[in-house]
Amino acid sequence: NCPRREMNFFQNLKYKIKYKNYFYMSFSGSGWNMCSNSIHFIDLFHFFIGRDKKINHHANLENKILESKRSGFYEVKGNIKFFTNNFKETLFLLDTKKLSKYNILNIEFDEKKISVEINNKKNNVIIYKKGKIYKKKTFIMPLQSQITLGVVQKILKKDNCDLPTLSESYNYHKSLFLIFNNFFKNILNKKIINCPIT
């Protein structure tokens, strides 16, 4: 369920990212649902840095639980920072009520900066370099069903695909569940066994 690795746009973006000293990625916006969507950017972060390193985190979440659009599940606002042991690679996720109406994916590596403004409503993406518009492209987020055939064909031809392995995905989810379960435990004052997010 982390299909961005299989999307041409993100695969081409990965090809452009070459770094030695540091890699920084942030995703920010308002109303993108941090609990249910963070996993996609954690996975994309690992896809870009090209290796499965031990990731630490620091969460700064608003002291309030929000009802999810699905009954019995929750959402939160705030930010979470993920980083490798030597801080060479960092991912920062931010979701507040006060940000722009567009989702922004920022990437910095070895003094280079790429800012990608994704507007799903207008089906476009604007790429900025050094604060100026570098390129505008059509961007339509494909449905899972539109990606499946390509994934199956890759597996049949190469015995592999770009999706994360089960063990990789397990580790990414586990780190998120620990963050949110601890948060819900403190707010609700009760032990959380099943993470109440979608």
Side-chain angles (χ1 to χ4, degrees), residues 16-146:
K16 291 177 171 61
I17 296 171
K18 308 290 182 190
Y19 71 97
K20 290 183 179 179
N21 300 316
Y22 76 93
F23 173 78
Y24 173 83
M25 170 179 156
S26 69
F27 184 81
S28 61
S30 54
W32 61 274
N33 295 331
M34 179 172 277
C35 286
S36 55
N37 288 306
S38 289
I39 188 63
H40 297 293
F41 300 101
I42 294 172
D43 182 70
L44 191 62
F45 176 62
H46 280 279
F47 179 59
F48 285 150
I49 66 175
R51 39 200 180 272
D52 191 16
K53 290 189 171 184
K54 179 173 173 53
I55 302 291
N56 302 302
H57 67 265
H58 174 73
N60 183 22
L61 303 174
E62 293 180 14
N63 197 28
K64 183 180 178 183
I65 294 177
L66 305 173
E67 292 291 327
S68 168
K69 60 183 178 181
R70 294 178 179 89
S71 178
F73 296 95
Y74 303 118
E75 271 298 338
V76 299
K77 299 282 184 187
N79 65 71
I80 308 174
K81 185 176 184 179
F82 298 88
F83 49 92
T84 53
N85 285 338
N86 59 4
F87 291 92
K88 186 175 177 180
E89 294 94 0
T90 302
L91 166 65
F92 184 70
L93 300 174
L94 177 62
D95 183 12
T96 73
K97 299 171 187 171
K98 301 174 184 176
L99 292 173
S100 70
K101 55 187 175 181
Y102 304 122
N103 293 330
I104 308 293
L105 175 68
N106 279 307
I107 294 173
E108 298 179 23
F109 55 100
D110 288 358
E111 311 306 327
K112 297 177 184 176
K113 296 182 181 181
I114 299 175
S115 180
V116 179
E117 181 181 287
I118 299 172
N119 185 341
N120 287 335
K121 292 181 180 177
K122 292 186 177 179
N123 294 328
N124 66 21
V125 60
I126 301 174
I127 302 172
Y128 296 87
K129 280 190 178 180
K130 297 180 181 177
K132 296 181 180 179
I133 293 177
Y134 170 71
K135 192 181 287 185
K136 291 184 180 180
K137 298 180 72 170
T138 299
F139 179 82
I140 299 174
M141 186 71 80
L143 301 173
Q144 296 271 139
S145 57
Q146 294 171 308

